[in-house]
Amino acid sequence: VQLVESGGGLVQAGGSLRLSCAGDGRTFGNYRLGWFRQAPGKEREFVAAISRVGRSTSYADSVKGRFTISRDNAKNAVYLQMNSLKPEDTAVYYCGADGHGGFSLVGLQIDYWGQGTQVTVSS
């Protein structure tokens, strides 16, 4: 499945952004989906994940209570609503799709990655 992120940009601390990730329609609902981010000089890290039909979600502690992941399988899309943004949220954000069996949202094994979208939070 091909994934394309959008919605990144420059925002002041305390502001909000909504990221979108569009899939190419190939049985999108078969994939667990996740958002990850990579800041300069750091490894890519997990941000949030959502189950195939959207009933279950998981978040990194650093974003819990501020970010919300959601999906719309009819539109082949997954979203990340980011509120109360902090400068340390600055990173390239990637969506990823896990097509393996299982139901856990911990330790997703990503088969497909998007190209990433830059989020910059100024202080």
Side-chain angles (χ1 to χ4, degrees), residues 4 16 40 50 52 73 77 81 84 92 100 102-103 121:
V4 179
S16 298
I50 190 165
R52 294 179 185 85
N73 287 342
Q81 177 66 43
S84 303
V92 177
H100 297 84
F103 299 94
V121 184

Side-chain angles (χ1 to χ4, degrees), residues 58-112:
S58 176
Y59 297 92
D61 288 342
S62 58
V63 306
K64 208 170 286 185
R66 300 188 298 122
F67 290 11
T68 302
I69 188 172
S70 60
R71 68 188 292 167
D72 186 340
N73 287 342
K75 295 182 178 179
N76 299 321
V78 60
Y79 309 100
L80 186 68
Q81 177 66 43
M82 306 186 294
N83 298 329
S84 303
L85 282 161
K86 305 175 181 179
E88 50 264 43
D89 294 318
T90 295
V92 177
Y93 283 71
Y94 300 88
C95 65
D98 179 344
H100 297 84
F103 299 94
S104 175
L105 297 181
V106 177
L108 294 183
Q109 296 176 279
I110 300 300
D111 297 298
Y112 304 99

Side-chain angles (χ1 to χ4, degrees), residues 9-15 17 85-90 119-123:
L10 174 64
V11 64
Q12 288 189 332
L17 280 175
L85 282 161
K86 305 175 181 179
E88 50 264 43
D89 294 318
T90 295
V119 172
T120 303
V121 184
S122 63
S123 56

